[in-house]
Amino acid sequence: MNTNDRLAEILAIHRGREGALLPILHDVQAAFGHVPEVVYQPIADALRLGRAEVAGVVSFYHDFRAQPAGRHVIKVCRAEACQAMGGADMIARLEAALGMKMGQTKGDITLEAVYCLGLCACGPAAQVDGQLIGRASAARLEALVTEGAQ
């Protein structure tokens, strides 16, 4: 099924729904792995919004991706509790080990900042491919994605 057909299905599901923009964007991201720019105008037209309004929502919410993520996604908590437990140092070590910065995708790994994973008592916290990790370390996070890559 091509992008236009799948998008038409998603729009049909939410037709007439009040406040449909966020559910549509979540469904688009689930279907395509990101929210491609090519869908902004059709979504805007369907909802009688401006294209800029759709683009603004995509760029505002951190969970929406403009580009596809890698096969492995590492989310690292940047909230105060995790930073107090050595999060900034862990992030610096992880970035150095992976040769990338927060917000980047390199090969099949995406590295993202999040602002609370709900593991405040077990900081620094991270999430690797949906698995929560308390008392995380750069070495442990790197090992999880390199083991998973094999």
Side-chain angles (χ1 to χ4, degrees), residues 51-66:
R51 183 187 180 286
E53 195 169 353
V54 175
V57 170
V58 171
S59 66
F60 178 79
Y61 289 103
H62 297 285
D63 281 344
F64 293 126
R65 304 177 197 287

Side-chain angles (χ1 to χ4, degrees), residues 3-126:
T3 303
N4 292 334
D5 291 342
R6 184 65 183 115
L7 178 60
E9 280 185 355
I10 292 168
L11 292 173
I13 290 168
H14 298 285
R15 183 162 290 130
R17 181 178 184 180
E18 190 172 332
L21 180 56
L22 286 174
I24 288 169
L25 293 174
H26 281 290
D27 287 354
V28 165
Q29 183 157 290
F32 305 120
H34 67 297
V35 181
E37 199 170 326
V38 69
V39 304
Y40 293 3
Q41 192 61 56
I43 292 172
D45 292 344
L47 298 177
R48 295 188 177 129
L49 301 171
R51 183 187 180 286
E53 195 169 353
V54 175
V57 170
V58 171
S59 66
F60 178 79
Y61 289 103
H62 297 285
D63 281 344
F64 293 126
R65 304 177 197 287
Q67 301 297 321
R71 192 168 55 115
H72 299 288
V73 177
I74 303 173
K75 296 181 179 188
V76 183
C77 182
R78 301 293 308 253
E80 292 82 3
C82 286
Q83 295 308 294
M85 297 301 293
D89 182 57
M90 180 192 70
I91 289 168
R93 291 173 188 260
L94 183 61
E95 288 176 333
L98 296 174
M100 60 194 298
K101 297 286 184 191
M102 285 293 202
Q104 293 183 325
T105 297
K106 181 178 176 186
D108 63 354
I109 299 173
T110 296
L111 185 58
E112 297 179 336
V114 294
Y115 293 91
C116 191
L117 290 167
L119 294 174
C120 302
C122 299

